[in-house]
Amino acid sequence: MEGNCKGRRRDSEASLDCSTVEFVYDNTDHPYTELAELYSYTEEPDLNLNRKCFEEEFKDHVNDTRWTSLTSEQHRIHIMHLLDKLEVVNREKRLSASRAILYLSQGVFGECDNEADVVHWSRYNSFLLYHMGAFAAFLELLNMEIANSQACSSALRKPALSLADSTDLRVLLSVMYLMVENIRQGTENDDPEWKILRVNFREELAFPVHSEEPFAHFLFAMVTKFCSGHCPHFPMKKVLLLLWKVLLFTLGGFTELQSMKEKKRLELGLPPLLEDSIQVMKNMKAISPPSYGIELGEQQKRGRRSRRDSLDLYNEKDPFKNDESQGPEEEESEETDNMMDTEPEGQEKDLLSQPLASLRANNERVCFPKGLPWAPKVREKDIENFLEMSRNKFIGFTLGHDLDTLVGLPRPIHESVKTLKQHNYVSVADVQIKKEEELEKCPMLLGQEKVEETACELLYKSMLVNIPQYMIALLKILLAAAPTSKAKTDSINILADVLPEEMPITVLQSMKLGIDVNRHKEIIVKSVSAILLLLLKHFKLNHIYQFEYVSQHLVFANCMPLILKFFNQNIMSYICARNSISALEFPSCVVHELPELTAESLETGDNNQFCWRNLFSCINLLKILNKLTKWKHARTMMLVVFKSAPILKRTLKVKQAILQLYVLKLLKLQTKYLGRQWRKSNMKTMSAIYQLVRHRMNDDWAYGNDIDTRPWDFQAEECTLRGNIERFNSRRYEKNPSWEFAPVDNCLLSVVGQNMDLPEDFHYTYELWLEREVFSKPIHWEELLQYS
């Protein structure tokens, strides 16, 4: 089966090696794909079973009529009839009514001629179902199923779980997912009533009225129950997909985040953002991947042939600079390092021997982009460090946090400070940290902080106690779904909702199941990576210490080595994987007649150049790794210790600008720690970092002259951060914060009149107590008057 999968990828890998990946990074894939990924191929028989249950109920209630021909009022009447049946005692009848409602939310595909009609009716029915109260009814049923101890104990006793063990849960979660996915996406042609329903639904999910927790927190609890082993029959793929879409709906996607950031900066009195990062990344061009050690023999045979074609357009702008050292990229083997030491000099001679006119002619044939893609930034801390160093050098003493006094400093330093201040960028996080320090110093004077009850704030408050468990659970699932993971006896079983009751007996069935299992794992990786990224992004904007709390627990749970392990594979093969059968994808499989599947057609797969979900997952994981390590020296050293540089450089083979940008960011963090020889041997990578990654004006990333690698400093950095996080959580979320002081009651009557709990025999010995504790002890009146 593994051989077949490899065969399915070869053509795509070959095409991807020489072409740029035309990939549009967005919150989600195409709507049809997002609907299709809810179902596994082994669930195909359930689609017809849902239709059968609906038609039986429909014929009993409405005679000889199609759903698509009924009026809106008749639709409501029939949905009320189905919702009433959800409350019957008989379990089979409840399941039949649930399947009938699921068929409605799937778009009554039996009455549709094409995919567009199915999606149209699926959206219409989802809005109608929510309007009639179906979501609340299904939430109650879901609570009942989770609390069903009989199903849990039955699943624990079974040696092998299958689809049949999660039938009820799969039906309920599918209905809820389809409602969330259809309602959250707005279009210009939506009815005004639908827009109102969308707002109400979002409010219901984010700000629950009857329950004490948001719906996302409820789903997180399901994830932890599954990972703890108490409920192994939970269909985890559907739970994670639903959780991802609920977070996307209630918190907002990338565009909403950008607008929320701009709004927050305006509220805090900060200048607007320098650029729209989403737009900048869309306009970026991918670089050609650096050459590797295995290509050395071939490169040496080329003699004086120019290797300018392996550089990106950016690199060609300055040929003398770019080709100054084009040695092969460093790999893990020591032999490669030895060979690289001698390569750059010969190539410099080759370049210098080329006629200058030919280089200029080559340059004139290329249209170059003007300037760097990102505006440079400078932190206030960087200006402070620069002034401190300058004052020590020219004056001999420092002025602390003073950024304005330049007396005694030479004119060039004045100009440098002016330039740095022009590019000074104050982030929302900087303001939040300063405000937190002020609240910590003067809690009584400043009073209690007014916290806006946003969807993100409410989610963090409900998750706070269990965040460590939630992060561990998500990483456990990610580890089990990663293609580099090996099956272990103690790992969790994430395939319970994809394996059929009867295992395949033919080669064709085995191939189909193998593709289905791989697809199932890829969808889980996609949803987990999206969930983690959304949480980090929204918590960082809401409050920096909320983000740092989640980040620390991800680091403690070994998230960083897990992501590096994920990328320590043939990443090109993973991105080109063809683990999908287009004929079996919903809604195509229910609208068109299924063609005859053969082993050859399954092995060939679809004609897509790459797999969208796998590339999406890779970018998300790189973004998460960037967020965990940015401005954290201890975590950057972890990247160095885990030898991440060769792993990350292999990822540059994928010619996709956003993916390459985040790989280069991670490499930039490490360059000062990797040594001079590494930088000398990887000049092409260094050049790409210079051209694509944002510049910090006085960041000495390329030379590493200011390295301070003392491990106790890094440990102190993490401990200080942890202390700040604990004080923030204690101050804002504990009911009785452990302050070092409390309000004092100065009224004599109220103090004396307090009821004290005294021992039962106290009235027998109170005279002795008075003599020992009061009369025999001297009172220092002078000291008492000083504090009065």
Side-chain angles (χ1 to χ4, degrees):
M1 191 180 297
E2 183 65 26
N4 291 333
C5 291
K6 287 179 180 177
R8 292 159 59 85
R9 297 170 184 164
R10 285 172 191 158
D11 295 337
S12 287
E13 279 189 56
S15 63
L16 218 59
D17 278 336
C18 57
S19 61
T20 301
V21 180
E22 299 297 332
F23 171 80
V24 179
Y25 183 69
D26 206 348
N27 295 305
T28 59
D29 200 351
H30 191 276
Y32 288 13
T33 307
E34 294 298 333
L35 293 177
E37 289 180 349
L38 176 64
Y39 313 103
S40 60
Y41 298 147
T42 47
E43 289 181 278
E44 185 190 345
D46 289 351
L47 297 173
N48 289 322
L49 184 56
N50 299 338
R51 178 181 177 179
K52 181 182 176 184
C53 291
F54 172 80
E55 288 176 349
E56 287 176 356
E57 292 284 348
F58 195 61
K59 286 178 181 177
D60 292 341
H61 194 248
V62 182
N63 294 324
D64 300 327
T65 313
R66 292 159 58 95
W67 173 266
T68 54
S69 61
L70 294 180
T71 63
S72 178
E73 186 60 34
Q74 289 173 314
H75 288 157
R76 287 186 171 87
I77 293 171
H78 188 64
I79 287 174
M80 283 303 298
H81 169 71
L82 292 174
L83 290 176
D84 289 340
K85 290 213 166 188
L86 293 178
E87 299 180 6
V88 298
V89 178
N90 189 302
R91 186 182 186 85
E92 293 300 322
K93 289 183 178 179
R94 281 206 314 270
L95 179 59
S96 178
S98 300
R99 285 190 178 279
I101 292 175
L102 176 55
Y103 176 71
L104 283 176
S105 58
Q106 287 171 338
V108 287
F109 50 81
E111 302 177 19
C112 299
D113 299 324
N114 52 57
E115 290 92 338
D117 288 346
V118 174
V119 172
H120 166 76
W121 282 104
S122 179
R123 289 196 79 222
Y124 170 83
N125 292 338
S126 294
F127 276 100
L128 193 57
L129 285 167
Y130 171 68
H131 185 59
M132 301 303 293
F135 190 86
F138 273 78
L139 184 56
E140 289 181 15
L141 290 175
L142 185 59
N143 271 307
M144 285 173 54
E145 285 300 321
I146 292 171
N148 187 352
S149 57
Q150 184 179 353
C152 293
S153 57
S154 173
L156 289 168
R157 286 195 300 269
K158 287 188 176 183
L161 296 173
S162 67
L163 276 170
D165 298 297
S166 59
T167 302
D168 292 33
L169 281 168
R170 284 187 294 109
V171 171
L172 299 175
L173 290 167
S174 295
V175 172
M176 299 172 92
Y177 175 86
L178 289 168
M179 290 177 69
V180 171
E181 178 64 8
N182 282 319
I183 295 175
R184 76 170 185 86
Q185 299 182 73
T187 62
E188 296 179 357
N189 300 325
D190 284 350
D191 293 335
E193 184 183 357
W194 283 16
K195 294 178 181 178
I196 295 170
L197 288 174
R198 182 179 298 112
V199 172
N200 293 341
F201 192 28
R202 183 182 177 278
E203 295 289 318
E204 183 181 334
L205 292 174
F207 307 98
V209 178
H210 303 294
S211 61
E212 296 180 356
E213 59 186 18
F215 184 55
H217 183 240
F218 175 82
L219 295 172
F220 269 117
M222 287 187 71
V223 175
T224 49
K225 284 181 181 179
F226 171 79
C227 290
S228 65
H230 299 311
C231 303
H233 65 296
F234 281 2
M236 204 33 52
K237 185 187 83 171
K238 285 182 169 54
V239 174
L240 291 169
L241 282 172
L242 178 56
L243 174 57
W244 169 32
K245 295 305 171 64
V246 168
L247 289 175
L248 195 59
F249 186 26
T250 55
L251 302 182
F254 303 138
T255 307
E256 291 86 352
L257 261 167
Q258 189 78 2
S259 59
M260 283 190 284
K261 187 184 288 187
E262 291 172 355
K263 181 183 175 184
K264 195 146 196 171
R265 290 184 66 84
L266 189 64
E267 290 173 355
L268 295 173
L270 297 174
L273 294 168
L274 299 175
E275 68 267 301
D276 186 346
S277 57
I278 299 173
Q279 199 59 41
V280 172
M281 284 189 284
K282 281 182 180 178
N283 295 332
M284 289 180 71
K285 303 291 184 184
I287 62 165
S288 295
S291 45
Y292 288 80
I294 56 174
E295 301 170 1
L296 270 176
E298 182 184 348
Q299 290 168 356
Q300 289 172 343
K301 290 177 185 178
R302 292 180 186 177
R304 297 193 176 189
R305 285 178 55 195
S306 171
R307 288 171 45 201
R308 293 160 47 75
D309 56 335
S310 64
L311 293 174
D312 185 62
L313 295 180
Y314 290 110
N315 291 10
E316 295 194 22
K317 192 168 185 177
D318 189 351
F320 298 101
K321 180 178 178 180
N322 290 340
D323 293 339
E324 181 182 346
S325 177
Q326 293 191 12
E329 299 298 299
E330 184 186 44
E331 287 294 301
E332 295 89 341
S333 62
E334 294 181 4
E335 292 82 6
T336 307
D337 291 329
N338 296 333
M339 295 172 74
M340 283 188 292
D341 291 341
T342 60
E343 180 71 6
E345 294 180 7
Q347 290 183 0
E348 282 183 12
K349 293 177 183 177
D350 289 346
L351 177 64
L352 294 174
S353 65
Q354 294 179 5
L356 183 60
S358 65
L359 288 175
R360 286 176 178 168
N362 288 338
N363 270 347
E364 288 170 1
R365 287 197 295 266
V366 182
C367 296
F368 301 111
K370 294 182 179 179
L372 297 168
W374 303 98
K377 285 182 181 179
V378 180
R379 295 182 301 168
E380 194 172 287
K381 186 179 179 181
D382 298 329
I383 303 175
E384 188 179 317
N385 291 339
F386 176 76
L387 278 171
E388 185 177 353
M389 183 182 67
S390 302
R391 285 166 182 157
N392 275 326
K393 181 178 179 180
F394 294 104
I395 305 175
F397 62 90
T398 62
L399 298 176
H401 299 287
D402 187 352
L403 302 181
D404 299 318
T405 305
L406 302 176
V407 177
L409 297 176
R411 189 67 187 171
I413 299 296
H414 289 225
E415 295 296 330
S416 300
V417 172
K418 182 181 176 182
T419 304
L420 290 174
K421 286 184 175 181
Q422 283 175 354
H423 295 91
N424 184 23
Y425 177 79
V426 181
S427 66
V428 172
D430 294 335
V431 177
Q432 290 170 341
I433 290 171
K434 282 186 179 179
K435 186 177 180 182
E436 197 61 31
E437 289 173 355
E438 292 171 1
L439 286 168
E440 193 66 34
K441 288 178 183 176
C442 314
M444 300 299 292
L445 184 64
L446 297 175
Q448 193 170 0
E449 182 187 11
K450 293 181 180 179
V451 182
E452 185 182 356
E453 286 290 324
T454 61
C456 187
E457 179 66 27
L458 197 62
L459 178 63
Y460 181 81
K461 193 186 297 185
S462 62
M463 289 175 60
L464 179 59
V465 180
N466 299 309
I467 279 178
Q469 290 87 342
Y470 294 159
M471 297 304 109
I472 291 170
L474 288 174
L475 293 180
K476 273 186 177 180
I477 295 171
L478 183 61
L479 176 62
T484 52
S485 298
K486 297 178 181 177
K488 295 180 181 178
T489 53
D490 58 342
S491 63
I492 54 177
N493 178 20
I494 57 170
L495 303 178
D497 54 332
V498 70
L499 296 177
E501 288 185 87
E502 297 180 0
M503 294 307 289
I505 54 175
T506 66
V507 174
L508 184 64
Q509 289 175 342
S510 298
M511 288 180 67
K512 179 182 170 184
L513 182 59
I515 293 170
D516 204 5
V517 166
N518 290 335
R519 174 179 177 268
H520 181 83
K521 288 182 177 181
E522 289 171 2
I523 295 168
I524 287 178
V525 171
K526 169 187 172 182
S527 53
V528 171
S529 65
I531 289 166
L532 289 173
L533 184 61
L534 275 174
L535 288 177
L536 290 174
K537 276 181 169 290
H538 280 279
F539 285 153
K540 186 173 184 179
L541 182 60
N542 197 53
H543 199 288
I544 184 62
Y545 284 138
Q546 294 177 351
F547 162 80
E548 296 290 3
Y549 186 56
V550 174
S551 297
Q552 274 207 335
H553 282 290
L554 284 173
V555 173
F556 295 157
N558 288 328
C559 179
M560 290 172 60
L562 172 56
I563 293 176
L564 291 174
K565 181 182 179 182
F566 181 90
F567 282 98
N568 193 19
Q569 59 170 315
N570 185 346
I571 203 69
M572 190 75 76
S573 176
Y574 183 70
I575 288 173
C576 296
R578 294 178 176 179
N579 292 313
S580 59
I581 307 169
S582 55
L584 299 181
E585 297 281 330
F586 182 88
S588 175
C589 64
V590 292
V591 175
H592 307 292
E593 290 187 12
L594 290 178
E596 183 180 355
L597 297 175
T598 62
E600 290 77 14
S601 63
L602 291 183
E603 189 173 345
T604 304
D606 54 29
N607 295 321
N608 292 333
Q609 183 193 19
F610 61 92
C611 179
W612 194 96
R613 62 174 166 264
N614 289 354
L615 189 47
F616 176 77
S617 302
C618 290
I619 293 173
N620 286 346
L621 291 173
L622 287 170
K623 281 187 166 187
I624 291 165
L625 197 54
N626 265 284
K627 288 192 174 296
L628 295 182
T629 52
K630 189 176 181 180
W631 304 120
K632 304 290 188 301
H633 298 293
R635 299 175 193 175
T636 304
M637 285 304 298
M638 287 174 68
L639 289 179
V640 178
V641 170
F642 294 142
K643 298 181 180 178
S644 64
I647 297 171
L648 293 169
K649 277 169 50 192
R650 281 198 298 270
T651 310
L652 288 174
K653 281 185 172 183
V654 184
K655 289 189 67 176
Q656 206 287 320
I658 299 177
L659 182 135
Q660 288 181 338
L661 171 66
Y662 285 96
V663 170
L664 292 171
K665 280 187 174 186
L666 288 166
L667 287 172
K668 180 185 176 183
L669 291 174
Q670 307 174 60
T671 49
K672 65 172 71 174
Y673 304 105
L674 293 174
R676 184 172 177 274
Q677 181 57 45
W678 188 93
R679 295 193 292 272
K680 181 182 175 184
S681 304
N682 293 273
M683 287 305 295
K684 194 181 296 183
T685 305
M686 298 287 285
S687 178
I689 292 171
Y690 179 84
Q691 289 149 357
L692 297 184
V693 181
R694 188 192 300 277
H695 287 272
R696 301 279 174 171
M697 282 196 165
N698 43 0
D699 180 14
D700 196 15
W701 65 272
Y703 301 98
N705 295 325
D706 58 345
I707 301 175
D708 189 4
T709 56
R710 290 176 292 179
W712 52 86
D713 282 352
F714 296 147
Q715 189 176 359
E717 181 185 58
E718 287 290 331
C719 290
T720 303
L721 179 60
R722 190 171 186 178
N724 292 337
I725 294 166
E726 287 175 355
R727 284 191 292 273
F728 164 76
N729 286 333
S730 173
R731 181 188 61 77
R732 188 183 275 200
Y733 301 110
E734 283 187 15
K735 292 181 180 178
N736 299 310
S738 55
W739 285 345
E740 296 178 359
F741 44 82
V744 178
D745 188 356
N746 294 317
C747 179
L748 180 64
L749 292 175
S750 63
V751 170
V752 175
Q754 286 180 0
N755 293 324
M756 305 294 292
D757 293 329
L758 300 172
E760 294 180 0
D761 58 346
F762 182 75
H763 65 281
Y764 295 114
T765 59
Y766 78 95
E767 292 181 350
L768 291 174
W769 180 84
L770 283 171
E771 184 65 33
R772 185 178 69 249
E773 299 293 336
V774 181
F775 300 142
S776 63
K777 290 195 174 182
I779 299 174
H780 300 284
W781 294 102
E782 294 82 1
E783 292 184 11
L784 186 63
L785 288 171
Q786 285 180 1
Y787 296 103
S788 61

